[in-house]
Amino acid sequence: MVRPKLDVLFKRKPVQYLTRPSGIADVSEVWVIKQTSEVFDDYEKYLHRMDFYKQRRFICEITGHSGLTFFEALASETTGSKEVNAAFPEPLKGPILRRVQFSTISRIDNLVDHIYDSFKKDFFPGEKVTAILANGQHLSGQIREKSSFPELIKPDGTIERKAFVRYFVSLFDQPDKEALVDEEHITRDRKVFTKQMLRSFIKDNVTREAWTGAPWLVKIDAALRHHIDTVVPPELQHKNKLAERKNHSAIKKGEQEGSPFGSFHAGGRYPELKPKGSKSKISQADLDKREQEQMVEYQRALAANPNFALAQQAQHAQQAGFFQQFIPYNGNGHPVPFHTAPPPVRVSPPKPPTPPPVKYPIEDLNIPPDQDRPSRPVLKYLCDGPPVPVEAKIENGGIQMRSVGLLLETWETLNVYCEVFLLDSFTFDDFVEAMAFSSENLDVECELFVEVHCAVLKKLVNGENDQNGQVQVVLPDIVQEDSSDEESVVDSSAIPTPTPEPEVKPVGRTTRSSLAKAEAAKLQAEAAAAASPSPASSADVKVHRAAEMLADYDWVPHLRKRDFKNGGWQAIMVGILYQMSMDPRYRQPCDEILSKLVPLDIEPTQDTVRSQYAELDINLRVKALQIICMLTIDTKAIRGYMEECSSHMTELRKEKIEWQRSRKATIEELRQLHEERKLLQPNEKSLTPPPELKEIKDEDSEMKDPDEEPEVPDTEDEEPHQGRNLRHARNREAERKRREEEEKARKEKAAAKAAQKQSKEEKKFQKVLDKIEKKKAEIKNCEEEIAILDNDLREADCPRIRVLGKDRFWNRYYWLERNAMPYSGLPTSSTADAGYANGCIWIQGPDDMEREGFINVPDVEATQFRQTFKMTVAERKKLEEGSTNVFTACQWGYYDEPGSVDQLINWLDVRGERELKLSKELKLQRDNIVEYMKKRKEYLSREKETDQDEPMTRIQTRGKTYVNPTGHRCFKWHNTTAVNEIGHLHMDQPPRPNKKGKKNGHDGPSTRVTNRQGKPLTRQGGRYDF
C-alpha cells in the first residue's frame, strides 16, 4: 500500500502521517487505514486517528475548499490533481517547475504573478500556438524549434543588439510549410494559460515548509519526471538560514548594548562586554569600571595593529559609524585620548510593546462592569410567587411559576398548529382566562376551554369513519391481570410485549463500541428495574381510583365515537392520564392530577369526574393539557403538516430567489438609466433657464446698448430732435429702423429654432426620467414581494421555536408571535378584532448547565473573577439586572410596556457576542413588538371599561370564586373554523355519515377554501389572486 502523494491541509499545514509501529508479529491483530496506509496495533489509537480524520476541519489544497473530512479532502485533491495536470500544457510544465524550484517568494499570489509575467511572452517547443504572418493571416501550428539570441554589448558599454527569440512553427493547415516568427507575432490560446490554472498547477506540484524564508520545492515525483535538481543550496537550508538570522540578531544586540567599543576586538575576538546569563542590574560604578577595561582593551589592540581603527571602520561601516559618535579622530587618523572624549550616550532599554486593542465582540462576561449603565427594565411576573419581591402584584388566579412555561408552550402549540386542530386562533390572555375559568353551574362551559381539549383529543384517535378509528399514538402498557382480547387487537399500545428469549450471539472482536453498548444496556436494565415498582408496592401507595373507573369504561371506543358531552371528554382524559402514569417520567404529575379527578373519597363515575374537573386547579389543568398536546406531536397529522410546510418553504425560497434576481437586474437597468440621465441632464448653460433667471434675461433684453443712437419718436406728440438738420437725415433714420427690425426678426427666428431643438432634448430627457420612475416602481414591487415571501417563510417555519437571543447572564428572550403564526393571529378568527396574539417579550432564566458553568461557578473561578472585576458573576447579575430577576429555566418574566423595549435595547452591551445578536434582533423586530404591545394594552383597557359598565356577579363557595361568565373575554371566542370545516363544534356529536357520501379525514363535510390548484389559501387569506 502506498501513501497518498497529495497534501491534505489541516490548519493550513500538510497532514503528517504516522510511521508504522515496529515489532508487529505476523499473527498480531492490526487495524489499517487504507487511504493513508497507516497501521495500528491498538484499537483505541486507531479510533482516535479515525476521529481525527473525520473532523470537518481539513482543506483541499488544490480547490481551496474547507470544512471537509480528511477523506473528502483527499478525494477532492485526487480529482482536482488529475483535472489540473490534464488541462495544463505539457510543454510548459518542466520550464515552470524549474523556475519555481528554490524560489523564496513567500506568498503564492506573488509567485503566480511573477511566473505568469515571465512566461506570458515566452513559448516552448511542442506548444500549440497561433502564428501571425506578415499579411495579417492567423494560422494554427505547433512550435518545432526555438532559437534564442543573446544581447550584444560594445566595449564602451552600449548595446549593439538586443536579445531576441525566433520560433519555427509547423502549420497544421500546410504541413509542408513552416513559419518563422518572433515573440510579437505568436500567441497562445487564452484559456490554456491563465493565472487560475497556473496557481492550481503550482499548488499541486510544489510544496513549502512552514518556516520564514523557506524555499518552494518541487515534489519528488514531479522533479524526477521533469529531471529537476532536488538538492537544496546551502544558503537556503534551514540550519544555515537560522545561523544567519542568529548572527544578524547578535550584531543588532551588540549595537544596542550601549557600549562604544562593541565592535572592536583583539586577536579576532570580540571582548565579552556582558556576562552570559547575567540579568542583575548594573550599578554606575560597575559601568565606569567596565568602560575603563574596554578602553585598555582597545589601546592594546591598537598597539598590536596601528591600522586597526581604519580597518575596522572600513570593515564594519555601520558599527564604526556608531563608534564615531563617541571616539573622535584627529587629523592623523588617530583617536583622541579617552579623557578628552565626550561621555558615552547610554541607550535606554526599549519600552515593552503596547498590548493590541481588544477586538470586539468578545465574551459578554469578560467586559468590565459599567457602573454608569442603567439597570435592566423591571420585569413583570405572571405567577403568584415570583422569585423576588415585587411592588405591583397581578391577580392571576393562583398560577404557579412552574406553570408559566407550560402555559406558553401549550398556547404556542395550539396556535401554530391551529389549522391541524381546526381551531380559531386566540390571544394568550384569553387562553389564561379560559384555563382559570370555573363555574358552579356545570352547564355553563367556556367554549375555548372545552374546544381546545376536544380538538387535541381527536388527533390521538381517528374517528369511526377514518381508518377504522386507528390509535395515532403509542402509550405505555397498563399493568393489569385481565385484558380483553378484542381490545388488544384494536389498541396495539395495550398489548403486553412478551419478553423474547436471549439469542446466542457469535463471539466477535472486542471493540470500544461493543463495550460501551454492553455497559449502556446494563445501566439501562438497572435503571428500569429500580424505576418500575412492583404491583404490590403500587397497591400500597394508592392515591386515586382511576383503575376502578376504567375497569368498566374503555376510553378508546368513546373517543372514536367523539363522545364528549356530559363529562365524556373529562373521562377520556382520566383514561389517557392513567395510562401515561405507567411511564415513570409522567407518574408523579399524572397521579397528582388523578388524585383530584378521581379521589379516594368519591365514587369514580363520569359525572363526578366532570364536577371535579370544573373545580380543578389551573396548574393541574395546564399540566394535563400539556401532556396530551405533547402526545399529538408524534401523530401523522402533525408530522404531515410539518412536511407540507417544509415543501411549501422550498417553493417559497425558489420564488424569493426569482424575485431577488429580478430586483438585481432591475437595479442594474436603473443604474444605466441614471448614467444616461447624467449625459442628458441640462447644464447651467441650458437654453431653458429657471424662471428667476428667465425674468432677469427678459429685463436685460429690453435694455438698450449705450453706444446705440436714441430711437426716433414714433408719435407726433413727442418733441422732435432740436439739433442741426443733416442731409438725408430722414433716409438714415428709416434705414436704421429697417435694420433694427431685421435684427429683431433674425433673433426671434434663432430663438424659435433653439427652442425647437431644446424641446427635443427635453422630451428625450423626460423619457429617461419616466423610465427611471418606472424602474423604481418595479424595484419597490420586488421588495414588497420579497417581504411578503419572508413573512410566509416565517409563518411556515413550524418545527421549532426561535429565540430572539441571550443576554450576558444567559437569560433567553422570546417573542412568540414571530414563530410560525401571523403577528395578530388568523385574520378569520372570531377574536381577530383584538389585533394581537401575545403582545409580550418573555424572559426565561438560564438552564442548569449554563447556571453552573457561568454564574454559580466554583470558588476558584469566582475568586479569579472577583480579582479581575471586584465582584462575582452572581453579584454582578444582581447589580446589573436590578430588582427583578429570573434564576432558573423554570422561571419566567415578561415585558408588556412599549417603553421597556427601548430601555432593554439601551441596556444591552453590543461589545458582547450574545448581546450583539440579541440587540440586532430586537432592533429588527422593535417596531412590530411595540405595535402589538400597544394593541394588547388597548384591547385589555377596552375590556376593563366594559367590565366596569357591567359588574360581574361573584359567588364564594368552598374557597373558590365563581364568576358570572357574561363578563369574561374568553366567552367572545367561538370556533368558527370547526363549524366551517366539519359543520359543527368539536364538543358536539358528528352527524351521521351519508351512505352515498365519500369518507374523508374529518368528522364532517369540508368547506375549506382552496385555490385553483386545490391547495388551501395561506394565512394571510388574500395573499395570492387565483
Side-chain angles (χ1 to χ4, degrees), residues 6 73-74 313 389 479 515 585 592 615 643 763 906 923:
L6 302 174
L74 182 62
Q313 184 177 6
V479 180
L515 293 174
R585 297 173 297 175
E592 183 181 3
E615 300 178 359
E643 294 176 0
K763 289 180 180 179
N906 295 332
K923 290 177 181 178

Side-chain angles (χ1 to χ4, degrees), residues 201-213:
F201 175 73
I202 292 177
K203 292 179 68 174
D204 184 37
N205 293 276
V206 180
T207 185
R208 181 173 176 267
E209 296 181 1
W211 52 272
T212 304

Side-chain angles (χ1 to χ4, degrees), residues 955-1004:
I955 304 174
Q956 189 73 20
T957 305
R958 294 185 183 179
K960 293 182 68 67
T961 301
Y962 298 94
V963 186
N964 186 359
T966 57
H968 283 71
R969 293 188 310 270
C970 58
F971 275 80
K972 296 182 179 180
W973 182 89
H974 300 286
N975 194 7
T976 59
T977 301
V979 174
N980 295 332
E981 291 288 335
I982 60 178
H984 59 87
L985 297 176
H986 291 297
M987 68 178 75
D988 298 332
Q989 281 283 348
R992 291 184 179 181
N994 189 2
K995 296 182 179 180
K996 298 182 179 180
K998 295 181 180 179
K999 296 181 181 181
N1000 50 43
H1002 302 298
D1003 297 326

Side-chain angles (χ1 to χ4, degrees), residues 358-364 367 909-917:
V358 180
K359 187 176 181 181
Y360 297 105
I362 60 175
E363 164 58 35
D364 298 71
I367 300 175
D909 195 337
V910 295
R911 295 177 296 174
E913 295 174 347
R914 294 186 295 277
E915 294 195 356
L916 174 62
K917 298 177 182 178

Side-chain angles (χ1 to χ4, degrees), residues 182-196:
D182 56 7
E183 61 270 17
E184 299 297 333
H185 293 80
I186 187 172
T187 60
R188 60 166 64 93
D189 189 359
R190 295 181 180 179
K191 298 180 181 180
V192 172
F193 185 67
T194 63
K195 286 187 178 181
Q196 182 64 32

Side-chain angles (χ1 to χ4, degrees), residues 98-141:
R98 288 188 182 88
R99 181 68 63 88
V100 175
Q101 182 75 316
F102 306 139
S103 175
T104 56
I105 300 175
S106 58
R107 291 182 57 86
I108 184 67
D109 298 334
N110 299 336
L111 178 64
V112 170
D113 293 340
H114 174 69
I115 298 298
Y116 183 80
D117 294 338
S118 300
F119 285 81
K120 187 177 182 180
K121 294 293 184 179
D122 199 3
F123 305 88
F124 296 89
E127 273 195 88
K128 295 180 180 180
V129 296
T130 300
I132 305 175
L133 304 183
N135 57 2
Q137 186 179 5
H138 291 63
L139 299 177
S140 300

Side-chain angles (χ1 to χ4, degrees), residues 150-163:
E151 184 181 52
L152 298 182
I153 302 177
K154 295 181 181 180
D156 57 357
T158 59
I159 299 176
E160 179 180 358
R161 185 191 66 189
K162 294 183 179 181

Side-chain angles (χ1 to χ4, degrees), residues 480 483-496 554:
Q480 58 183 3
S483 60
S484 175
D485 296 338
E486 180 181 358
E487 180 62 26
S488 64
V489 174
V490 178
D491 188 4
S492 60
S493 62
I495 300 175
D554 192 353

